[in-house]
Structures are given as C-alpha cells and as structure tokens.
Amino acid sequence: MKKKNKLDFDRTYVWMTIPLVVLFFLFNTFPLIKGFMYSFTNFRGYGTYQSVGLRNYMDLFTDARVGHSYLFTFGVAICVTVLVNVISLILAMGLNSKIKFKSGLRALYFVPNILGALVVGYIFNYFFTYILPAFEKMVFGSGSSILASEKWAWVAIVVVCVWQSVAMQTIIYISGLQTVPEDIYEAGAIDGSTGWTRFKTLTLPLILPFVTINLVLTMKNALMVFDQIMALTKGGPAQSTESISYLIYNNGMSGGQFGFQSANAVLFFIVIVLISVFQLKFMGKKEEQL
C-alpha cells in the first residue's frame, strides 16, 4: 500500500515536471541550438544560406566594431560591479542597524528593482536630456546632455545600471548580515574590536559567501547590459556606447548579420561562463583561507 502511494506521489511530480521541461526546451534550449547552428552559416535572417565553417568565429577577432563593444562592455561591467557592491554593502549595514522605520526604508530602497529596466531608462533619459542640462546651464551658463557626448555617455549608462541593481544586492547583503551571530560581536568588543577593525576581521569574513554571490550576479548582469542602452543612447553617439548584447541584437536582427552575430552570441556566452567560473573559484579560495 505504501509502495503504491509513493508511486502515485512520484507520478504526480513527473506530470508536473514534463510540461515545464517541454516549455524550457522549446523556448530556451531549442533556440540556443538553432543559434549555434546558424553561427556556422552566412544566414542574414531571411532567405537562403550556406555553411561557412569557422569563418564567422575567425572574423570576430578582426572586427574593430566587435572589439570596441567588448572593451566598452567590460569597462561598464567593472565599474557597475564595484559601485553596486560598495554602495549595497554600506546601505545593507545601515539598514541592518538599530534604526527607526527600518522595514519601511528597506521597502523603499527595493522599489528600483520592481520597475522595468526600460521604464527606468526612459525616465533617466528625460533627466539627462532636459533636467540636468537645464540645471547645468543655470549654474555654468552652458548646458548639453551627456547622452550626446562620446566621452561621457557611458557614465549615464553606469548611473542607471547602478541605481537599478543596488536594490537586490542590498537585500542579499542584509540577509548575509543577519546570519552573523550577535555573540561574535560581543566577543569581539571584549577584545577591543570596533569600527573598521570589527568589519574587517568579523563581519566581512562571515558574509564572504554573500559577497561571492553578489559579485557573480552583478558582473553577469552588467555584462549583459542592453535595456539601459536601448532606452538611453541606442548605442550612440557614433557607436561609442554599443555593448555586446546591443550589437548582437542590432546587427543580427536588422543588419543582415544573423549568422555572424550568432557566432558573437556563442562566444559571448562562453566568455560569461568563464568569468563566472573564475569568480566562483577565486572567491571560493578566499573563503577557505578565512
């Protein structure tokens, strides 16, 4: 009787899982396989196509526009990762301390994460295009939008990415800080550990697994920056803010380079996996040392 009940129980889970596996294959795995196959062709997104072997992959390493998009994306990703984690950790420590309206403030700081990236991008687009130049003109006498500057447009993208990413990373850091036992701090206080010393010797080592999670997630999300560029600059001015994701979308969908950009997407996927594995290995060794 027990065996029968267990069998029915397992069968229920099987029937619940099958539709999800089918949907995952249809909308995730199958397009991935098709994209990988197209990366070996000269497919333009329509019409007939022929196999070109590894030519697309070799051309990626000599294409100046692809090279610039990788440099731009890595630069933005490093800036965003550092800023997001520093600001999130400071905010988390403040919101985890004994202050009034702590729950309300946590909810308020989480609002940016609820809003869609495109919505946030268009709001900041208005701010950078009209409000900030008007303020600059009032103070300095001349004002122009940084979105129109090849030199400074990337700063606007970093600001928007950081503003939106800080919310989730702060929540993760708060979760980590709440796992630190209070008696650890009491023992540290007896040894004279306060302020920066307490953070460096007690807090940081104990929340290091949460630091690892945040570093990996922030870097991965920043490398895939797309919505913010679509809303703010559309890769301009003069292709100066063209990220890899935006280049893949723009030239792959409307530029007649579907096969070439499919190869770019495959390469980019491998790069993200390698960076994530490196981060996990490196931070894992740091956790073992501590």
Side-chain angles (χ1 to χ4, degrees), residues 24 59 76 93 108 112 130 149 157 161 163 168 187 195 200 220 224 226 231 257 261:
F24 185 82
D59 289 346
V76 167
M93 293 183 72
L108 190 65
Y130 298 104
S149 167
I157 292 165
C161 289
W163 189 81
M168 179 56 76
K200 186 181 174 183
K220 192 266 296 179
M224 296 171 67
F226 176 80
Q257 297 183 343
Q261 294 304 332

Side-chain angles (χ1 to χ4, degrees), residues 208-225:
L208 207 52
F210 295 88
V211 176
T212 303
I213 293 169
N214 268 344
L215 285 175
V216 173
L217 289 177
T218 313
M219 177 61 86
K220 192 266 296 179
N221 291 335
L223 284 172
M224 296 171 67
V225 58

